[in-house]
Amino acid sequence: MLSPIYEATKLIGDTYAVQMQKYSNVNECKEYFIHKLKHTFGVESVILDIMIREKTIKPYLTKEIKELIELSAILHDLGRFYQFDDEGKFIPYPIFRHGQKAVDLLKDNSRFNNPMLLFAIQTHDLIGIDYSSPLYINMTEEEKKIADIMAKLLRDADKFENMRNFVVNGYPMFRAVKKEPLSEKVKEFIKNKTLVDRKFLKTSADVVADFILWLNDINFDTTRDFIKDINYFELAIQEFVKYGASEDDVRLVREMVKL
């Protein structure tokens, strides 16, 4: 029998190939799918590094749990390959939730229907972990401990890889927004030390600030050390300025980030 890791990798590869063919005439789709394929295996690499180095979780890392953690990284963005309508137009959040879409695709697959795995995938794209999910509520107390670790690991690895891509390549979606400083409403969220409600995003600085703050809402010291070692936060701040942030905007974001 083929290993679950092999099967998951094959599933992602096959999905990528099918969707590339389906949208073969839409360059935006093809570029997005290529990025997501690279991102998937970047997240897999990062989650393994965090898992190995984070001392607080070592007592929980059986062979089975390590495999589930790696599977969560490989499968977490499966739903992203379905985030376009028949005309190749991107379907935005919250109309489309790619974490939930992945769960819907995986829940009937006996190799990948472990509730801890599905919970980590389901909740990775939300502002916070959704402990009200039936997947989580119906677990045993021991399963909940593991599911919480898995969800936090996946969120950290996903955010780290997203930050890496942002500081290296920028994000085209940000370039389409008019370059203006933070709006007053978004400043209120930051002053209150809370993540931004995305329905209030108006300016380019709003969008980038929300992105930076979301990326830095992380769970493990190991992840923070990775970000510090590669100076990703400071590089992200440089991008923030490019997208219209004022000196006062930068100060507000620095005060909120715990790095």
Side-chain angles (χ1 to χ4, degrees):
M1 180 180 292
L2 298 173
S3 74
I5 300 297
Y6 176 89
E7 292 282 6
T9 303
K10 184 177 184 301
L11 174 60
I12 293 297
D14 289 349
T15 302
Y16 166 81
V18 169
Q19 297 301 84
M20 284 287 276
Q21 180 60 37
K22 180 178 178 180
Y23 297 100
S24 59
N25 296 322
V26 186
N27 288 333
E28 292 82 0
C29 292
K30 292 191 292 183
E31 290 174 4
Y32 188 81
F33 294 151
I34 290 169
H35 161 65
K36 281 301 168 186
L37 193 66
K38 292 178 180 178
H39 168 78
T40 291
F41 296 108
V43 172
E44 180 190 17
S45 176
V46 173
I47 208 170
L48 292 175
D49 282 344
I50 300 172
M51 179 179 71
I52 291 168
R53 301 187 191 194
E54 180 58 40
K55 295 179 181 179
T56 63
I57 65 174
K58 286 189 176 180
Y60 301 94
L61 297 182
T62 64
K63 181 179 179 181
E64 177 189 6
I65 299 307
K66 288 179 181 178
E67 181 175 78
L68 287 175
I69 289 168
E70 187 170 0
L71 285 173
S72 75
I74 296 171
L75 296 169
H76 81 283
D77 267 356
L78 175 63
R80 286 292 198 188
F81 294 97
Y82 297 85
Q83 201 163 353
F84 294 87
D85 64 20
D86 290 339
E87 296 178 354
K89 293 181 180 179
F90 186 80
I91 308 170
Y93 177 93
I95 299 172
F96 184 95
R97 277 226 23 238
H98 69 273
Q100 184 59 53
K101 177 64 175 179
V103 169
D104 292 341
L105 292 165
L106 295 169
K107 64 185 178 181
D108 295 324
N109 187 319
S110 61
R111 303 303 299 275
F112 308 125
N113 63 0
N114 181 291
M116 295 183 291
L117 171 62
L118 295 180
F119 175 71
I121 294 170
Q122 181 188 60
T123 200
H124 87 274
D125 61 338
L126 299 176
I127 292 294
I129 297 175
D130 180 16
Y131 295 109
S132 68
S133 166
L135 283 169
Y136 184 81
I137 291 173
N138 292 326
M139 293 179 196
T140 66
E141 291 305 309
E142 186 62 23
E143 287 173 333
K144 286 179 179 178
K145 290 180 183 178
I146 302 300
D148 186 52
I149 290 170
M150 289 178 57
K152 288 176 177 177
L153 278 171
L154 180 57
R155 290 169 70 85
D156 275 18
D158 187 37
K159 291 179 180 186
F160 182 88
E161 179 60 18
N162 270 303
M163 178 176 276
R164 183 206 63 78
N165 183 69
F166 174 54
V167 299
V168 172
N169 300 315
Y171 271 174
M173 64 175 286
F174 295 162
R175 298 181 196 131
V177 182
K178 185 178 180 181
K179 289 183 173 57
E180 294 178 324
L182 290 177
S183 65
E184 291 304 315
K185 187 65 178 179
V186 168
K187 283 184 181 181
E188 288 180 23
F189 284 102
I190 299 174
K191 288 176 181 177
N192 291 329
K193 309 298 184 187
T194 59
L195 293 178
V196 179
D197 185 333
R198 289 175 175 168
K199 69 184 179 185
F200 292 105
L201 300 179
K202 292 183 178 180
T203 72
S204 55
D206 286 351
V207 175
V208 179
D210 166 67
F211 188 65
I212 291 173
L213 295 173
W214 177 75
L215 291 177
N216 282 281
D217 183 34
I218 53 181
N219 301 284
F220 295 109
D221 288 340
T222 298
T223 319
R224 293 187 183 91
D225 290 342
F226 286 171
I227 293 172
K228 288 178 183 178
D229 289 346
I230 309 177
N231 207 31
Y232 276 176
F233 175 66
E234 292 303 321
L235 292 171
I237 288 293
Q238 291 176 24
E239 293 298 310
F240 186 35
V241 172
K242 290 179 185 177
Y243 286 107
S246 67
E247 290 184 9
D248 186 56
D249 295 343
V250 170
R251 178 184 59 78
L252 286 174
V253 170
R254 284 190 185 281
E255 288 175 356
M256 184 170 171
V257 172
K258 299 175 183 179
L259 291 175

